[in-house]
Amino acid sequence: MNIFTFNKEDDFVQTGANLIVSLLQSNPRAVLGLATGSSPLGIYARLADMYKRGLVSFAKSSVFNLDEYVGLANDHPQSYSTFMKEHLFNHIDIDPKRTFIPNASAHDLEAECQAYDQLLEQNGPVDLQLLGIGSNGHIGFNEPNDHLIGGTQVVDLQEETIQANARFFTSLDEVPKLAVTMGVGSIMKARQIVLIARGVEKAEAIKNAFQGPITTQCPASFLQCHSNVVVLLDHEAGSLLT
Ligand code: F6R
Protein backbone atom coordinates (compact mmCIF):
# COMPACT_ATOMS: atom_id res chain seq x y z
CA MET A 1 0.00 0.00 0.00
CA ASN A 2 1.44 3.36 -1.02
CA ILE A 3 -0.06 6.33 0.78
CA PHE A 4 0.85 9.82 -0.44
CA THR A 5 -0.20 13.00 1.34
CA PHE A 6 -0.07 16.27 -0.60
CA ASN A 7 0.10 19.82 0.70
CA LYS A 8 -0.76 21.34 -2.66
CA GLU A 9 -4.07 20.63 -4.42
CA ASP A 10 -2.32 20.83 -7.78
CA ASP A 11 0.12 18.04 -6.87
CA PHE A 12 -2.76 15.83 -5.67
CA VAL A 13 -4.66 16.38 -8.92
CA GLN A 14 -1.65 15.98 -11.21
CA THR A 15 -0.52 12.76 -9.52
CA GLY A 16 -3.99 11.23 -9.90
CA ALA A 17 -4.23 12.31 -13.54
CA ASN A 18 -0.70 11.05 -14.29
CA LEU A 19 -1.52 7.56 -13.00
CA ILE A 20 -4.38 7.33 -15.51
CA VAL A 21 -2.48 8.98 -18.36
CA SER A 22 0.60 6.77 -17.99
CA LEU A 23 -1.61 3.67 -17.93
CA LEU A 24 -3.30 4.78 -21.18
CA GLN A 25 0.04 5.60 -22.77
CA SER A 26 1.33 2.09 -22.07
CA ASN A 27 -2.03 0.38 -22.73
CA PRO A 28 -4.43 2.45 -24.88
CA ARG A 29 -7.07 -0.28 -24.46
CA ALA A 30 -7.02 -0.03 -20.67
CA VAL A 31 -10.26 -0.54 -18.76
CA LEU A 32 -10.83 2.26 -16.26
CA GLY A 33 -13.14 2.01 -13.27
CA LEU A 34 -14.34 5.50 -12.36
CA ALA A 35 -16.18 7.20 -9.52
CA THR A 36 -18.37 10.28 -9.27
CA GLY A 37 -18.58 12.82 -6.42
CA SER A 38 -16.46 15.83 -5.49
CA SER A 39 -13.17 14.01 -4.98
CA PRO A 40 -12.32 13.20 -8.62
CA LEU A 41 -13.48 16.53 -10.12
CA GLY A 42 -10.01 18.08 -10.27
CA ILE A 43 -8.54 14.91 -11.76
CA TYR A 44 -11.24 14.76 -14.45
CA ALA A 45 -10.67 18.43 -15.35
CA ARG A 46 -6.93 17.74 -15.58
CA LEU A 47 -7.52 14.66 -17.78
CA ALA A 48 -9.68 16.76 -20.11
CA ASP A 49 -6.92 19.37 -20.23
CA MET A 50 -4.21 16.77 -20.93
CA TYR A 51 -6.39 15.30 -23.70
CA LYS A 52 -6.79 18.80 -25.24
CA ARG A 53 -3.03 19.24 -25.15
CA GLY A 54 -2.60 15.95 -27.06
CA LEU A 55 -0.97 14.13 -24.14
CA VAL A 56 -3.50 11.31 -23.91
CA SER A 57 -6.24 9.60 -25.89
CA PHE A 58 -9.15 7.62 -24.49
CA ALA A 59 -10.31 6.46 -27.95
CA LYS A 60 -9.58 2.76 -27.37
CA SER A 61 -10.20 2.64 -23.62
CA SER A 62 -13.36 1.58 -21.77
CA VAL A 63 -14.87 3.00 -18.60
CA PHE A 64 -16.98 1.22 -16.02
CA ASN A 65 -18.60 3.41 -13.40
CA LEU A 66 -19.12 2.21 -9.87
CA ASP A 67 -22.67 3.18 -9.16
CA GLU A 68 -25.88 5.00 -10.03
CA TYR A 69 -28.87 6.28 -8.06
CA VAL A 70 -32.10 4.30 -8.32
CA GLY A 71 -35.10 6.41 -9.28
CA LEU A 72 -33.36 9.06 -11.39
CA ALA A 73 -33.69 8.94 -15.17
CA ASN A 74 -30.32 8.56 -16.91
CA ASP A 75 -30.55 12.15 -18.15
CA HIS A 76 -31.57 13.61 -14.74
CA PRO A 77 -29.19 16.49 -13.90
CA GLN A 78 -28.02 14.67 -10.73
CA SER A 79 -27.69 11.18 -12.21
CA TYR A 80 -24.18 9.82 -12.26
CA SER A 81 -24.60 9.21 -15.98
CA THR A 82 -25.06 12.98 -16.46
CA PHE A 83 -22.18 13.70 -14.05
CA MET A 84 -19.74 11.61 -16.08
CA LYS A 85 -20.76 13.27 -19.36
CA GLU A 86 -20.53 16.78 -17.92
CA HIS A 87 -17.27 16.33 -16.09
CA LEU A 88 -15.36 13.95 -18.34
CA PHE A 89 -16.86 12.14 -21.30
CA ASN A 90 -18.00 15.26 -23.19
CA HIS A 91 -14.46 16.64 -23.01
CA ILE A 92 -12.43 13.63 -24.19
CA ASP A 93 -12.39 11.28 -27.19
CA ILE A 94 -13.88 8.23 -25.47
CA ASP A 95 -16.31 6.17 -27.55
CA PRO A 96 -19.70 6.52 -25.76
CA LYS A 97 -20.35 2.86 -26.63
CA ARG A 98 -17.46 1.94 -24.34
CA THR A 99 -18.73 3.85 -21.30
CA PHE A 100 -20.73 1.70 -18.92
CA ILE A 101 -22.76 2.67 -15.89
CA PRO A 102 -25.43 0.59 -14.16
CA ASN A 103 -28.85 1.44 -15.62
CA ALA A 104 -30.63 2.08 -12.34
CA SER A 105 -33.85 3.07 -14.09
CA ALA A 106 -34.16 -0.42 -15.62
CA HIS A 107 -37.51 -2.12 -15.00
CA ASP A 108 -35.83 -5.30 -13.71
CA LEU A 109 -32.98 -4.11 -11.51
CA GLU A 110 -31.88 -7.61 -10.56
CA ALA A 111 -31.41 -8.53 -14.22
CA GLU A 112 -29.59 -5.21 -14.76
CA CYS A 113 -27.17 -5.98 -11.90
CA GLN A 114 -26.43 -9.42 -13.37
CA ALA A 115 -25.95 -7.92 -16.83
CA TYR A 116 -23.49 -5.38 -15.41
CA ASP A 117 -21.47 -8.14 -13.74
CA GLN A 118 -21.40 -10.04 -17.03
CA LEU A 119 -20.17 -6.95 -18.88
CA LEU A 120 -17.43 -6.56 -16.29
CA GLU A 121 -16.46 -10.21 -16.71
CA GLN A 122 -16.38 -9.92 -20.50
CA ASN A 123 -14.41 -6.67 -20.63
CA GLY A 124 -12.45 -6.84 -17.41
CA PRO A 125 -10.55 -6.97 -15.31
CA VAL A 126 -10.53 -3.25 -14.63
CA ASP A 127 -6.92 -2.08 -14.99
CA LEU A 128 -7.25 0.95 -12.73
CA GLN A 129 -10.14 1.56 -10.35
CA LEU A 130 -10.44 5.12 -9.06
CA LEU A 131 -12.30 5.30 -5.75
CA GLY A 132 -13.51 8.02 -3.44
CA ILE A 133 -14.44 7.17 0.13
CA GLY A 134 -17.48 8.11 2.19
CA SER A 135 -16.95 9.66 5.62
CA ASN A 136 -18.47 6.38 6.91
CA GLY A 137 -15.85 4.34 5.03
CA HIS A 138 -18.03 3.33 2.08
CA ILE A 139 -16.54 2.60 -1.33
CA GLY A 140 -18.86 2.73 -4.31
CA PHE A 141 -22.12 2.62 -2.38
CA ASN A 142 -21.03 -0.33 -0.25
CA GLU A 143 -22.13 1.01 3.09
CA PRO A 144 -20.94 -0.22 6.53
CA ASN A 145 -22.98 -3.32 7.35
CA ASP A 146 -22.82 -6.75 8.98
CA HIS A 147 -22.05 -8.22 5.59
CA LEU A 148 -20.72 -6.96 2.26
CA ILE A 149 -21.72 -7.92 -1.27
CA GLY A 150 -19.55 -9.41 -3.99
CA GLY A 151 -21.18 -8.39 -7.26
CA THR A 152 -23.42 -5.56 -8.43
CA GLN A 153 -26.55 -5.07 -6.31
CA VAL A 154 -29.25 -2.64 -5.26
CA VAL A 155 -28.40 -1.19 -1.85
CA ASP A 156 -29.99 1.12 0.70
CA LEU A 157 -28.05 4.33 1.24
CA GLN A 158 -27.31 5.18 4.86
CA GLU A 159 -28.64 8.36 6.43
CA GLU A 160 -25.10 9.81 6.58
CA THR A 161 -24.65 9.24 2.83
CA ILE A 162 -28.07 10.70 2.00
CA GLN A 163 -27.20 13.79 4.07
CA ALA A 164 -23.79 14.12 2.38
CA ASN A 165 -25.35 13.81 -1.10
CA ALA A 166 -28.07 16.36 -0.29
CA ARG A 167 -25.69 19.16 -1.29
CA PHE A 168 -26.35 18.31 -4.95
CA PHE A 169 -30.17 18.42 -4.63
CA THR A 170 -32.58 21.24 -3.80
CA SER A 171 -34.06 19.34 -0.84
CA LEU A 172 -33.26 16.29 1.27
CA ASP A 173 -36.48 14.61 0.08
CA GLU A 174 -35.18 14.55 -3.49
CA VAL A 175 -32.05 12.55 -2.62
CA PRO A 176 -32.47 8.93 -3.74
CA LYS A 177 -32.48 6.38 -0.94
CA LEU A 178 -31.38 3.44 -3.09
CA ALA A 179 -28.51 2.92 -5.48
CA VAL A 180 -27.05 0.23 -7.70
CA THR A 181 -23.41 -0.33 -6.87
CA MET A 182 -20.58 -2.60 -7.89
CA GLY A 183 -19.85 -4.84 -4.90
CA VAL A 184 -16.64 -4.94 -2.92
CA GLY A 185 -15.83 -8.27 -4.60
CA SER A 186 -15.93 -6.66 -8.06
CA ILE A 187 -13.92 -3.64 -6.89
CA MET A 188 -11.24 -5.94 -5.47
CA LYS A 189 -10.77 -7.61 -8.88
CA ALA A 190 -9.21 -4.44 -10.33
CA ARG A 191 -5.50 -4.74 -11.12
CA GLN A 192 -4.76 -1.43 -9.42
CA ILE A 193 -6.86 0.67 -7.07
CA VAL A 194 -6.31 4.40 -6.61
CA LEU A 195 -8.27 5.80 -3.67
CA ILE A 196 -8.46 9.57 -3.35
CA ALA A 197 -9.73 11.69 -0.45
CA ARG A 198 -9.71 15.34 0.46
CA GLY A 199 -10.81 17.23 3.55
CA VAL A 200 -10.89 16.74 7.30
CA GLU A 201 -14.32 15.04 7.12
CA LYS A 202 -12.57 12.04 5.50
CA ALA A 203 -9.72 11.83 8.06
CA GLU A 204 -11.37 9.29 10.36
CA ALA A 205 -12.52 7.07 7.48
CA ILE A 206 -8.97 7.09 6.09
CA LYS A 207 -7.51 6.19 9.48
CA ASN A 208 -10.05 3.35 9.93
CA ALA A 209 -9.61 2.11 6.36
CA PHE A 210 -5.84 1.87 6.31
CA GLN A 211 -4.74 1.67 9.94
CA GLY A 212 -7.75 -0.04 11.51
CA PRO A 213 -9.04 -3.62 11.53
CA ILE A 214 -10.44 -5.14 8.33
CA THR A 215 -14.15 -5.05 9.00
CA THR A 216 -17.44 -4.86 7.10
CA GLN A 217 -18.18 -1.82 9.29
CA CYS A 218 -15.57 0.03 7.21
CA PRO A 219 -15.84 -1.38 3.67
CA ALA A 220 -12.71 0.50 2.52
CA SER A 221 -10.67 -1.49 5.06
CA PHE A 222 -10.91 -4.49 2.68
CA LEU A 223 -8.51 -2.63 0.41
CA GLN A 224 -5.80 -3.66 2.89
CA CYS A 225 -6.13 -7.14 1.31
CA HIS A 226 -5.40 -5.83 -2.21
CA SER A 227 -1.84 -6.04 -3.49
CA ASN A 228 -1.78 -2.83 -5.56
CA VAL A 229 -3.40 0.14 -3.86
CA VAL A 230 -2.30 3.76 -4.14
CA VAL A 231 -3.89 6.27 -1.76
CA LEU A 232 -3.74 9.98 -2.60
CA LEU A 233 -4.73 12.34 0.20
CA ASP A 234 -4.65 16.00 0.93
CA HIS A 235 -3.07 17.06 4.18
CA GLU A 236 -6.42 17.17 6.03
CA ALA A 237 -7.64 13.73 4.92
CA GLY A 238 -4.31 12.26 6.04
CA SER A 239 -4.18 14.18 9.31
CA LEU A 240 -5.07 11.21 11.61
CA LEU A 241 -2.61 8.73 10.06
CA THR A 242 0.34 7.83 12.21
C1 F6R B 1 -19.37 7.79 -6.16
C2 F6R B 1 -18.98 6.84 -5.14
C3 F6R B 1 -18.87 7.24 -3.71
C4 F6R B 1 -18.03 8.50 -3.52
C5 F6R B 1 -17.94 8.86 -2.05
C6 F6R B 1 -17.16 10.14 -1.83
O1 F6R B 1 -19.40 7.19 -7.43
O2 F6R B 1 -18.77 5.71 -5.46
O3 F6R B 1 -18.29 6.18 -2.99
O4 F6R B 1 -16.74 8.28 -4.04
O5 F6R B 1 -19.23 9.01 -1.53
O6 F6R B 1 -17.87 11.20 -2.39
P1 F6R B 1 -17.21 12.65 -2.50
O7 F6R B 1 -16.04 12.51 -3.41
O8 F6R B 1 -18.29 13.50 -3.09
O9 F6R B 1 -16.82 13.05 -1.11
Side-chain angles (χ1 to χ4, degrees), residues 35-39 66-67 132-134 138 140 167 202:
T36 59
S38 315
S39 307
L66 282 167
D67 40 24
I133 183 170
H138 74 211
R167 66 193 193 279
K202 300 292 173 69

Side-chain angles (χ1 to χ4, degrees), residues 12-241:
F12 168 87
V13 163
Q14 192 63 55
T15 304
N18 284 348
L19 285 169
I20 293 173
V21 168
S22 49
L23 169 65
L24 289 169
Q25 284 167 347
S26 64
N27 175 13
R29 295 186 183 279
V31 180
L32 303 174
L34 296 183
T36 59
S38 315
S39 307
L41 283 176
I43 293 175
Y44 293 162
R46 188 62 52 92
L47 288 174
D49 181 57
M50 292 174 85
Y51 162 69
K52 254 185 233 137
R53 290 193 282 136
L55 300 173
V56 63
S57 169
F58 297 79
K60 294 181 179 157
S61 68
S62 313
V63 168
F64 280 84
N65 261 84
L66 282 167
D67 40 24
E68 178 60 284
Y69 288 125
V70 172
L72 299 189
N74 293 345
D75 59 355
H76 186 284
Q78 297 307 334
S79 78
Y80 286 169
S81 173
T82 301
F83 176 102
M84 290 308 296
K85 286 181 194 142
E86 277 181 1
H87 294 288
L88 188 63
F89 299 157
N90 289 350
H91 310 286
I92 59 176
D93 61 345
I94 193 150
D95 177 352
K97 288 199 285 301
R98 276 205 278 265
T99 64
F100 303 97
I101 188 158
N103 176 12
S105 50
H107 181 63
D108 183 347
L109 281 177
E110 205 175 307
E112 174 61 24
C113 291
Q114 279 174 17
Y116 203 66
D117 284 339
Q118 267 170 17
L119 270 176
L120 274 164
E121 281 295 321
Q122 284 157 10
N123 295 277
V126 166
D127 292 294
L128 184 154
Q129 176 66 58
L130 187 67
L131 291 178
I133 183 170
S135 52
N136 61 2
H138 74 211
I139 47 176
F141 274 135
N142 295 281
E143 301 279 36
N145 209 330
D146 293 338
H147 61 274
L148 292 176
I149 54 169
T152 305
Q153 273 190 26
V154 179
V155 291
D156 291 308
L157 299 181
Q158 282 194 351
E159 196 51 40
E160 195 174 340
T161 302
I162 294 168
Q163 298 275 355
N165 293 348
R167 66 193 193 279
F168 300 112
F169 293 82
T170 44
S171 81
L172 193 58
D173 289 346
E174 284 178 29
V175 188
K177 313 285 183 286
L178 294 175
V180 172
T181 184
M182 269 166 63
V184 174
S186 307
I187 291 172
M188 293 289 285
K189 286 184 188 161
R191 289 198 164 106
Q192 181 178 42
I193 292 180
V194 178
L195 184 138
I196 55 173
R198 294 158 63 233
V200 71
E201 62 280 8
K202 300 292 173 69
E204 201 178 329
I206 290 295
K207 168 89 179 160
N208 292 340
F210 300 112
Q211 292 184 339
I214 297 167
T215 163
T216 58
Q217 298 304 329
C218 178
S221 66
F222 278 75
L223 300 177
Q224 293 180 45
C225 303
H226 194 284
S227 59
N228 189 356
V229 177
V230 177
V231 183
L232 307 180
L233 306 172
D234 73 357
H235 188 68
E236 290 183 338
S239 57
L240 295 179
L241 292 176

